[in-house]
Amino acid sequence: MPSPRKFFHAISYLQYPLLLAAVGFYVPFVISLLNKQPDWAVLNHVLILFGVSLSFSTLQDTTTTQNKLSEKVWQHPTKGKVALVIIAIMAFGFMAVGLLALMWFEADQTQSVAVGLTVLGIGMLGLLKAAIEMFDNHRLDKNPQ
């Protein structure tokens, strides 16, 4: 029986088809913007798919890094802290804007984008948790090699 860590790491690869689907919805949204008739429901799909994709990305094994750039960021104490602060601001910002828009605005277009922003913020919150684990596992000042 495979270990739960390997199982969840394998499931994390579902992030890529979800990202591809988000890009697939993004193209028609950009076209609608260029036609000066933005389709906000399509933007909602983009935000939801991207948020769910981020959620799946947090299932990967945090004891390994995916590339040299992320390894450099998580090994360096200052760069890692800056990255965590940026992710935290974005996560809580998306959630706050999304929830406030849900409460204050009643237009269907605003409601749909608000839901997408909230889902994106929740996905980024999961990403923040995974990033904290990556930082703890890889920083050179706490884990000398």
Side-chain angles (χ1 to χ4, degrees), residues 10-134:
I11 290 174
S12 77
Y13 285 102
L14 288 173
Q15 69 182 299
Y16 298 112
L18 289 167
L19 275 173
L20 189 60
V23 170
F25 277 102
Y26 185 69
V27 171
F29 176 70
V30 170
I31 291 169
S32 74
L33 276 178
L34 294 174
N35 292 332
K36 298 183 192 249
Q37 296 177 341
D39 189 350
W40 300 109
V42 175
L43 178 61
N44 182 47
H45 295 313
V46 172
L47 295 171
I48 288 175
L49 286 169
F50 191 61
V52 173
S53 173
L54 284 176
S55 295
F56 273 98
S57 74
T58 65
L59 298 175
Q60 67 191 21
D61 184 7
T62 58
T63 60
T64 62
T65 56
Q66 288 185 326
N67 52 50
K68 294 289 182 191
L69 176 65
S70 64
E71 186 176 17
K72 285 182 181 181
V73 169
W74 299 127
Q75 285 181 347
H76 195 277
T78 307
K79 290 178 187 175
K81 288 176 187 174
V82 168
L84 291 176
V85 167
I86 291 170
I87 294 169
I89 289 170
M90 289 176 66
F92 291 111
F94 284 135
M95 281 191 304
V97 169
L99 291 172
L100 289 173
L102 273 174
M103 289 188 306
W104 284 346
F105 300 109
E106 294 185 17
D108 289 337
Q109 295 169 344
T110 309
Q111 290 279 318
S112 66
V113 173
V115 169
L117 284 172
T118 305
V119 171
L120 179 59
I122 292 169
M124 291 201 72
L125 191 62
L127 181 69
L128 176 62
K129 185 240 182 228
I132 290 169
E133 288 179 8
M134 294 275 286

